[in-house]
Amino acid sequence: MKLTVNGVEHDIDVDPRTLLVHAIREQVGLTGTNVGCLTGDCGACTVVVDGQTTKSCSVLALSAEGADVETIESLADGDELHPVQQAFWDEFGFQCGFCLPGMLLTARELVESTPDANDDDILRAVNGNLCRCTGYNTIVAAVRKAARS
């Protein structure tokens, strides 16, 4: 199959049962997309498929053929952090970083679609991304700051 990830087309061989998260990590070699729960609950595997955040552990790789897939590796522009990444850095919005790919991609989607998001909007948006380290206060502060950027 042909899988376009971060603007680069990859010819990969996958079993029809292969999940998108495994294709990205094992076939494409991008390991920023994390394998967490494999049930779609934790959000560590979040990617963007055709502009929509998607839990890649709940999508078959073959269903992404012909789609544009973005991973966390596409967020920064070289050494320049995306405003959402910078806000998470500035506000200490992460600790271990395992949830970070999902949090950042979800936050970017919210900031782009709802720049005037309030704290309730932010909490609803990140609801499908579990963080065991921060208690979410710094995450909300980071997304709020990114929205102002």
Side-chain angles (χ1 to χ4, degrees):
M1 71 172 281
K2 292 186 186 313
L3 183 63
T4 303
V5 181
N6 301 332
V8 178
E9 188 175 280
H10 302 269
D11 286 314
I12 61 173
D13 291 322
V14 295
D15 182 284
R17 299 168 292 178
T18 301
L19 297 173
L20 181 57
V21 66
H22 293 303
I24 290 168
R25 290 179 61 84
E26 297 162 15
Q27 300 288 323
V28 177
L30 297 175
T31 57
T33 304
N34 292 317
V35 178
C37 64
L38 290 175
T39 61
D41 292 327
C42 75
C45 68
T46 300
V47 297
V48 178
V49 178
D50 287 337
Q52 183 74 39
T53 55
T54 303
K55 309 264 180 90
S56 63
C57 76
S58 61
V59 175
L60 294 173
L62 287 173
S63 70
E65 188 164 27
D68 290 319
V69 178
E70 294 175 67
T71 67
I72 191 64
E73 287 89 352
S74 73
L75 206 52
D77 184 12
D79 289 337
E80 186 174 332
L81 296 178
H82 185 279
V84 171
Q85 289 173 304
Q86 188 64 56
F88 270 72
W89 179 264
D90 293 344
E91 298 296 324
F92 306 100
F94 64 96
Q95 287 180 29
C96 81
F98 193 76
C99 71
L100 198 56
M103 288 290 184
L104 290 172
L105 292 173
T106 301
R108 180 185 72 173
E109 181 180 59
L110 176 67
V111 167
E112 289 175 355
S113 68
T114 313
D116 59 342
N118 62 35
D119 289 359
D120 288 337
D121 296 328
I122 295 167
L123 286 170
R124 266 192 301 280
V126 301
N127 184 41
N129 295 276
L130 300 179
C131 176
R132 296 179 182 186
C133 299
T134 67
Y136 295 92
N137 291 329
T138 56
I139 291 169
V140 171
V143 177
R144 194 180 320 117
K145 179 175 183 156
R148 291 191 308 258
S149 298

